[in-house]
C-alpha cells in the first residue's frame, strides 16, 4: 500500500508504536535495571492533546496503525481517555496495546470500550517462582489480567514470550499448550542487545530457528501468514487453531519490510529500535507549530530512517533501554 510516507529505502511507513510512559511496574532483567532511576520527568511527557496532535499529523500522511506501548502503558493515568482520543482520529484503522497485563484486570473493559481492538501480552513463563525471578512481579496478577481481557472479548490476544536459553526455553511446549487451551496466539521473540540489560542477557540468546526445528519434531507445523503487518513469521499447529509467530531480529532480520517508527513519551521519534536516529517533536509542539508545519516535520523525520539495525555487527550500539524507546 502506498501510504504517502515513504522512507529513503522505499519502505512505506504506516505504523507508529506510541510509548505513553517510560515507567514500568515490572523489572524484567533483560529490559530495565532493578535500580533504574533515570525516568523522564512529568513535564517532559507529551500531554494527551500533544500526542493526539502528532498522531493526527501522522494519520493525515498515511499512518493507519497505532500500538500503545511503554514502559508499561497501563501505569499512565487515564490511559482509556487517551485511547479514546486516538480512536477518534480519522485514518487510524487499528489501535492496539502491548502490556505486561499486571494491571489489566482493572482496565481491560474500559480500554476495549475506548477503542483498543487488539492486545499483546508479554509473558515469558507460567511458573510463579520463575516469573518473580525474571520480572520481580506477581504471576497471578498477570494471569488474572489476561483472563479478564479474554472475558471482555479481546480477540485475538497474542502472547509475547522472549525465549532465553537456561531461563525459560524448557517451557515453550507448556506455553504452546496454554495458548491452545485459551485460544491465544503465541509469538516467540529473540533477545536483543538493547541497553546494558539486553546485552547482559546475550548469554541467554537462543536462535529461534533451532526452536522451530525442535517444535517440528513434536508438532506438524503448517507455514502461513497472519494479517497484522508485523515481522513475525507464522506457522499453524496442525489439528489446532494455534498460530505461533517467530520474531527473529538477530537470526533473520526483517528490516527490509520495516513499516514502523516509535514515538517516545518525551516526544522523541526513534526511527529504528537498533539505531540512534531520532527526531524531536516536543520543542516544536511547545513552540506552537501549526498543523501544516507539523506534517512537514513528520515527512522530514521519516527521511532519517536508517536502512537496518546492526544488532549483530555492533551489539554495543544501543545504550538506551527498551522501556525508553517504547518496546
Ligand atoms: N510493558 C509492555 C509489555 O510488557 O509488553 C510494553 C513494553 S515492553 C518493553 C515490550 C516488549 O519488549 C516486551 O515483550 C519485552 O519482553 C520486550 N523486550 C524488552 N527488552 C528486550 C530485549 N532486550 N530483547 C527482546 N525483547 C525485549
Amino acid at each position: 500500500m502506498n501510504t504517502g510516507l515513504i522512507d529513503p529505502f522505499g519502505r512505506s511507513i504506516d505504523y507508529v508504536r506510541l510509548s505513553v510512559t517510560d515507567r514500568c511496574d515490572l523489572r524484567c532483567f533483560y529490559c530495565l535495571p532493578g535500580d533504574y532511576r533515570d525516568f523522564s520527568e512529568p513535564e517532559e511527557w507529551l500531554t494527551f492533546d500533544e500526542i493526539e496532535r502528532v498522531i493526527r499529523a501522522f494519520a493525515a500522511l498515511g499512518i493507519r496503525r497505532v500500538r500503545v506501548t511503554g514502559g508499561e502503558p497501563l501505569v499512565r493515568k487515564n490511559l482509556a481517555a487517551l485511547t479514546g482520543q486516538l480512536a477518534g482520529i480519522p485514518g487510524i484503522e487499528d489501535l492496539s496495546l502491548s502490556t505486561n497485563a499486571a494491571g489489566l484486570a482493572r482496565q481491560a473493559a474500559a480500554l476495549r470500550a475506548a477503542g483498543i481492538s487488539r492486545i499483546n501480552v508479554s509473558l515469558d513463563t507460567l511458573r510463579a517462582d520463575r516469573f518473580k525471578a525474571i520480572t520481580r512481579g506477581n504471576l497471578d496478577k498477570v494471569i488474572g489480567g489476561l483472563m479478564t481481557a479474554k472475558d471482555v472479548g479481546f480477540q485475538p490476544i497474542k502472547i509475547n514470550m522472549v525465549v532465553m536459553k537456561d531461563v525459560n526455553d524448557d517451557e515453550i511446549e507448556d506455553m504452546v499448550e496454554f495458548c491452545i487451551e485459551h485460544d491465544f496466539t503465541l509469538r516467540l521473540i529473540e533477545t536483543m542487545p538493547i541497553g546494558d540489560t539486553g546485552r547482559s542477557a546475550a548469554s541467554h540468546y537462543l536462535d529461534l530457528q533451532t526452536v522451530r526445528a525442535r517444535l517440528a519434531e513434536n508438532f506438524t507445523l503448517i507455514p502461513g501468514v497472519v494479517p497484522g503487518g508485523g515481522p513475525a513469521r507464522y506457522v499453524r499447529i496442525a489439528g489446532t487453531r494455534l498460530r505461533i509467530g517467530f520474531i527473529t531480529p538477530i537470526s533473520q532480520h526483517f528490516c527490509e519490510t520495516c513499516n514502523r517508527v516509535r514515538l517516545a513519551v518525551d516526544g522523541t521519534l526513534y526511527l529504528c529500535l537498533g539505531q540512534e536516529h531520532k527526531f524531536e517533536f516536543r520543542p516544536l509542539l511547545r513552540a506552537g507549530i501549526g498543523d501544516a508545519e507539523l506534517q512537514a516535520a513528520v515527512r522530514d523525520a521519516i527521511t532519517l530512517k536508517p536502512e537496518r539495525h546492526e544488532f549483530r555487527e555492533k551489539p554495543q550500539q544501543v545504550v538506551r533501554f527498551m522501556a525508553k524507546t517504547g518496546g
Side-chain angles (χ1 to χ4, degrees), residues 24 30-31 69-73 98-100 120 122 124 160 162 189-194 198 322-323 327:
C24 189
Y30 53 80
C31 186
T69 181
E72 171 47 45
S98 282
T99 174
N100 62 32
N120 287 3
S122 300
D124 297 337
N160 286 341
V162 178
I189 303 175
E190 289 177 346
T191 2
M192 291 175 274
I194 298 178
M322 185 77 144

Side-chain angles (χ1 to χ4, degrees), residues 104-124:
L104 197 53
R106 264 181 294 111
Q107 298 195 45
L111 289 167
R112 186 158 153 74
I116 295 282
S117 54
R118 302 186 296 120
I119 285 205
N120 287 3
V121 172
S122 300
L123 182 60
D124 297 337

Side-chain angles (χ1 to χ4, degrees), residues 288-310:
I289 191 172
D291 289 344
E293 291 85 358
L294 188 55
Q295 288 183 25
V298 168
R299 285 198 187 279
D300 287 348
I302 297 298
T303 66
L304 303 175
K305 191 166 167 65
E307 185 171 14
R308 50 171 300 221
H309 69 65
E310 293 167 296

Side-chain angles (χ1 to χ4, degrees), residues 17-31:
R17 293 181 71 103
L18 168 68
S19 175
V20 295
T21 179
D22 55 354
R23 294 168 195 242
C24 189
D25 46 355
L26 297 183
R27 284 291 178 279
C28 299
F29 74 87
Y30 53 80
C31 186

Side-chain angles (χ1 to χ4, degrees), residues 176-296:
V176 166
E177 296 300 336
F178 176 75
C179 290
I180 291 174
E181 182 187 342
H182 294 286
D183 201 17
F184 299 146
T185 296
L186 177 60
R187 287 141 43 101
L188 306 176
I189 303 175
E190 289 177 346
T191 2
M192 291 175 274
I194 298 178
D196 289 342
T197 41
R199 273 185 286 282
S200 70
S203 57
H204 299 295
Y205 168 74
L206 192 58
D207 178 340
L208 286 182
Q209 318 294 336
T210 64
V211 171
R212 184 178 165 138
R214 181 175 116 195
L215 285 172
E217 287 172 15
N218 299 317
F219 304 97
T220 303
L221 307 182
I222 306 166
V225 237
V226 171
R233 295 179 173 86
Y234 280 94
V235 297
R236 191 167 58 77
I237 296 219
T240 77
R241 288 159 51 95
L242 177 67
R243 290 168 203 277
I244 305 180
F246 296 85
I247 302 182
T248 56
I250 310 297
S251 66
Q252 194 180 6
H253 77 75
F254 33 79
C255 301
E256 64 284 355
T257 58
C258 187
N259 59 350
R260 64 198 54 198
V261 290
R262 292 177 156 82
L263 183 65
V265 65
D266 65 357
T268 306
L269 188 80
Y270 290 100
L271 281 307
C272 172
L273 195 54
Q275 300 280 7
E276 294 297 339
H277 303 65
K278 60 186 171 189
F279 186 95
E280 304 289 352
F281 279 101
R282 192 176 80 241
L284 303 179
L285 293 164
R286 299 206 174 159
I289 191 172
D291 289 344
E293 291 85 358
L294 188 55
Q295 288 183 25

